[in-house]
Amino acid sequence: MRRRTPFTAFDPAAVSPWNVQIDGLGFGGDYNPEQWPAEVRDEDVRLMREAGVNVLSVAIFAWATIEPREGELEWGWLDDTMDRLHEAGIQVALATATASPPPWLTRRHPEILPRLADGTVLYQGARQAYAVTHPLYREYALRMTTRMAERYGDHPALALWHVDNEIGCHVPRDYSESATAAFRVWLVARYGTIERLNEAWGTAFWSQRYATFEDVLPPLVAPMFANPTQQLDFDRFSSDALLDYYRDLRDTLREITPHVPTTTNLMTTSATKGMDYFSWADDLDVVANDHYTIASDGERHVELALSADLARGVAGGDPWILMEHSTSAVNWQPRNRAKLPGEMLRNSLQHVARGADSVMFFQWRQSRAGAEKYHSAMLPHAGTGTDVWRGTVELGTTLQRLGEVRGSRVVSRAAVVVDYPAWWAAELDSHPTQDLRYMEEVRAWYSALWHQGVTVDTVPPYADLDGYDLVVVPTLYLVDDDGAANVARAAERGATVAVTFFSGIVDEHDHVRLGGYPGAFRDLLGVRTEEFFPLQVDERVGVTGKAVGGDATADLWTEKTLVRDGTEVVAAYDDGALAGHPAVTRREVGAGAAWYVGTRLDPAGLASLVGRLVEESGVAPDVAAPAGVELVRRRTADGATTWLFALNHTDDGTTLDGLTGTELITGTAVEGSLALPPGAVRVVRAAASH
Ligand code: GAL
């Protein structure tokens, strides 16, 4: 990959915050006027004003409209759009228009198309048909970016640059020739010599020793398991290659418009595995995230919370932009249900509760043609006499009432450690079980905490853990020495730390840490595992112990764990091959405690255990809420003002006690108790710090 000198002239402090001209929270969506006749823009702007729209993402997929034939540029429609939006007081997150190269480009230069691991070419005709590493594609993309910056850099509507779109969404891994060449350059930068690569990849195994970097390939389809470290490094490289593409476009924008901040929209769902977003964080002037609820997920509001918390984690706790979500159905799931009354408002405000300072949608006006015509929008096919449109207007009004929360931060004293390289490595082939899914483990622990009303930050292993009283480390299979030491320090300092099975097994090269599992955490936890005993698909074992609620069951994973002196066995297997062996242990460490959970507990058992951890660490919420009612607090930097978001995900109304302040959505005083109707959201401002 091409290496560039870092951009030194840029001073982030000199960049104006993207939303400087917006009063309160951002509200809007993707705006694609190129799909419509020019007359529609009049109605668009009128209705945007009616709804209170103040920010739009423009020109994301507009390359072929701007440049229908190579070098022929048609700016009129975009000039007009930018001017109209400015007149209407609407800010623009202007795209680089690179998210889908025009057909003339890929026909003329098919070498820029990406490939799958089996060599299949991904052709044009959908979108994102480009290899980010291809020098010629890069040249075209930079040219387009430069044109956008030169044309609109001084436009008063321009608030933010939106680089490409969901980079890596469709092609997180490209195995083309240009990717192969860039992979080799990346490997040279990482290892310096081929001997060091051979060492790191363990190529003495299966006669894989490389003579030169030229011999190295991406992990293409092969007769048997590809080298695991090769696979892992290709994952790292691919994330870096996508980030490098972002940086290149970003640097071009900065040179021309140093005063305008830059971002790209991430996809921090539990399904997006391709990009190590924590490593992207420093390059984003503001974090932007896209999220879509999954219809088949019975607890989609919990998955939404996790996605929002991941976005906030990438943002280091700062406010972030919800760049896309949907007013109602999407078009890309197997069965695309419409949202129920109140669901969209609740989804939107759940993101705001968890740190979003802007709520945006894909897209403003529902398309008539193309692959997304059945995807909902702010303005649906059926027009303004609809629930969706009324919901859009209601949301706009609600966000105006909540404007004062802008800039405040979410309060959390618990952390769940999440790591992308650990995710990639944990799910490699040739492992003790093929059934382990890293994000399922993260989600299980996250959900258990959500159900106890605990707001968590999701942080990488190298984050500063000082502010946390509870630190959960689910299946951190790969961890380097610094990460492991960081987790251990949290326990020494006084936190309750819980590490779960298949953690600390390998170093950053995917080499096993010898001497017994879980190598990196053996001393912290006071345990040593000799062998893994993963379970068959329908196999369950019993687990007994007060901490797991008496009798629990476990699936997926068991292991033969021995404890050191001073490590307490708090739950043991009561049947199966490991009957009598420890399943959950606890050890006092410094001013804190370290728990080891060597199996996957059923939800009730996990809920009991998490209850114990919450109690021990003192992170229980200070306001009691019934099941299905979510409470999250945002707070000003000085702690003088807090806002408690109460979201009722149930069909039953309830009353929350012990609250005093002002409810912002209804504009009423709260004196001791707050009524929370079914499905409703309330936001209580309190003057005292919590
Ligand atoms: C996102 C994408 C949008 C739109 C949306 C539909 O992945 O950025 O352009 O396709 O999904 O849900």
Side-chain angles (χ1 to χ4, degrees), residues 546-567:
K546 222 173 113 215
V548 298
D551 285 326
T553 56
D555 71 351
L556 184 77
W557 189 271
T558 61
E559 56 183 57
K560 191 171 176 181
T561 300
L562 305 170
V563 293
R564 271 212 331 252
D565 281 355
T567 304

Side-chain angles (χ1 to χ4, degrees), residues 309-322:
D309 288 354
L310 281 165
R312 192 178 71 257
V314 175
D318 284 343
W320 48 279
I321 299 173
L322 177 65

Side-chain angles (χ1 to χ4, degrees), residues 30 61 127 165-166 169 265 267 290 292 324 330-332 362 372 375:
D30 286 13
F61 297 102
R127 62 179 178 184
N165 189 62
E166 291 191 344
C169 172
N265 42 349
M267 302 158 278
D290 295 350
Y292 292 93
E324 288 181 25
V330 300
N331 64 306
W332 44 264
F362 176 82
E372 292 183 324
H375 192 297

